[in-house]
Amino acid sequence: MVDNNRGDEVRGIDNPAATEENEIEMQRDVVIRVQPSSGDIQLPVSTIDWQSNPRGQFILVQGLDFLIGVSKLLIQQTVELDDLTSRIESENRYIVRVPNGEALYFANETSTSTQRCLCGTGRAFVMRLHDNTRQEALVLHRRLASSSCCFPCRLQEMTVTVPPGDPVGRIQQQWTWMVPFFLVRDANDRVLFVIEGPAVFRRSALISSVFRIMSGDSLLEMGRIVHAWDTELVSFTTTVDMPNVAVQPKHKALLLAAGFLLEYTYFERSNSKFRNCSCF
């Protein structure tokens, strides 16, 4: 007499994985019902000096966060076809990148054709910097002003804001005879850095020059803004060497804006013959 209950237990009731192959019943699967205790197995993972990264791998970097850890920035102007074929200068465009690295920001100037024609490089403009995510990261406002010691009542000034309009600070030119002198102020109007250029009589002598970034009391040199010929890019470029104490991205943004202000005030050569105000 065949025990049907026992056969059902082997084939599928208690053990559904059991099958028959060539009329031979396979053995029942072994099921582990007792889990090992914590003291039985030690994981070969060392947690000594474990450090977690506050910035996750999938957290999107945008805005001024691109300036974190950056010690040097390169401002490179793109060549516009209108500048080569027209007497009226077009709105400038720049690429801000790390040396021998990727582009961090793309800068676009917005200005009027009247001021570009009559005022040349001394024109007023609004420059917007977009990051790699195409988000607006920085906005620079430059007013129509003079850079000559003959017009001390309205010297160069540029204000810096971040979207949606929060003030970061400003770069303000001080009146001097021959030495270009600028103050970098934060949103509370506190002097963070002083930018001092070489003593020259003609502005054309500053096409290739070095501007020193000094401390707020003008006693210690902390960085440099250099405008020189780049053999690899085959063009003039402006390099901003960040001070070691400028750890905050907003401070680096102010120095980057100072590089743009010097670019327009002293370094840029306008193709237009009508440069009445640009010689201030």
Side-chain angles (χ1 to χ4, degrees), residues 1-27:
M1 183 175 181
V2 181
D3 190 355
N4 294 330
N5 295 333
R6 182 177 180 276
D8 293 339
E9 179 182 358
V10 174
R11 287 184 176 86
I13 297 178
D14 292 339
N15 188 12
T19 59
E20 286 187 1
E21 184 173 347
N22 297 328
E23 299 180 356
I24 300 177
E25 293 184 356
M26 301 181 63
Q27 296 182 357

Side-chain angles (χ1 to χ4, degrees), residues 138-143 145 153-162 165-174 181-195 225 249-262:
L138 208 61
V139 182
L140 313 180
H141 299 264
R142 183 206 187 189
R143 68 179 186 181
C153 58
R154 191 173 176 84
L155 295 175
Q156 293 292 328
E157 184 173 334
M158 176 180 286
T159 59
V160 184
T161 59
V162 294
D166 299 331
V168 176
R170 60 179 177 145
I171 297 91
Q172 183 181 22
Q173 184 183 12
Q174 298 296 297
F181 198 80
F182 294 83
L183 299 180
V184 179
R185 300 178 180 270
D186 60 4
N188 299 323
D189 213 28
R190 181 172 60 95
V191 178
L192 300 176
F193 306 102
V194 173
I195 300 177
I225 299 178
K250 290 185 177 181
H251 296 175
K252 296 181 180 181
L254 289 173
L255 294 178
L256 176 61
F260 277 106
L261 182 59
L262 296 179

Side-chain angles (χ1 to χ4, degrees), residues 49-222:
D49 298 332
W50 181 271
Q51 295 180 356
S52 60
N53 189 3
R55 180 186 300 175
Q57 183 178 1
F58 300 101
I59 296 179
L60 185 62
V61 179
Q62 60 182 356
L64 297 183
D65 293 338
F66 282 97
L67 297 178
I68 298 177
V70 174
S71 60
K72 182 179 295 187
L73 291 174
L74 191 67
I75 302 174
Q76 178 187 1
Q77 183 178 0
T78 59
V79 179
E80 301 294 335
L81 183 60
D82 294 341
D83 294 339
L84 302 178
T85 59
S86 176
R87 292 185 176 182
I88 301 178
E89 186 177 0
S90 63
E91 295 174 328
N92 291 343
R93 293 177 174 83
Y94 296 88
I95 299 177
V96 180
R97 65 175 73 245
V98 293
N100 300 324
E102 64 177 349
L104 301 183
Y105 301 105
F106 301 92
N108 299 314
E109 171 196 342
T110 302
S111 58
T112 62
S113 58
T114 302
Q115 290 195 12
R116 291 198 305 271
C117 178
L118 298 178
C119 303
T121 58
R123 61 187 178 271
F125 62 82
V126 176
M127 182 168 292
R128 305 181 185 276
L129 279 72
H130 296 80
D131 55 24
N132 286 329
T133 63
R134 303 303 178 184
Q135 299 294 322
E136 191 175 77
L138 208 61
V139 182
L140 313 180
H141 299 264
R142 183 206 187 189
R143 68 179 186 181
L144 178 63
S146 165
S147 61
S148 173
C149 60
C150 300
F151 300 89
C153 58
R154 191 173 176 84
L155 295 175
Q156 293 292 328
E157 184 173 334
M158 176 180 286
T159 59
V160 184
T161 59
V162 294
D166 299 331
V168 176
R170 60 179 177 145
I171 297 91
Q172 183 181 22
Q173 184 183 12
Q174 298 296 297
W175 183 84
T176 55
W177 279 107
M178 294 185 301
V179 179
F181 198 80
F182 294 83
L183 299 180
V184 179
R185 300 178 180 270
D186 60 4
N188 299 323
D189 213 28
R190 181 172 60 95
V191 178
L192 300 176
F193 306 102
V194 173
I195 300 177
E196 181 179 344
V200 294
F201 287 98
R202 296 185 306 170
R203 194 184 66 170
S204 58
L206 294 172
I207 292 297
S208 180
S209 57
V210 176
F211 282 70
R212 299 184 300 168
I213 301 176
M214 311 293 292
S215 58
D217 52 7
S218 301
L219 297 179
L220 180 62
E221 181 177 349
M222 310 179 70

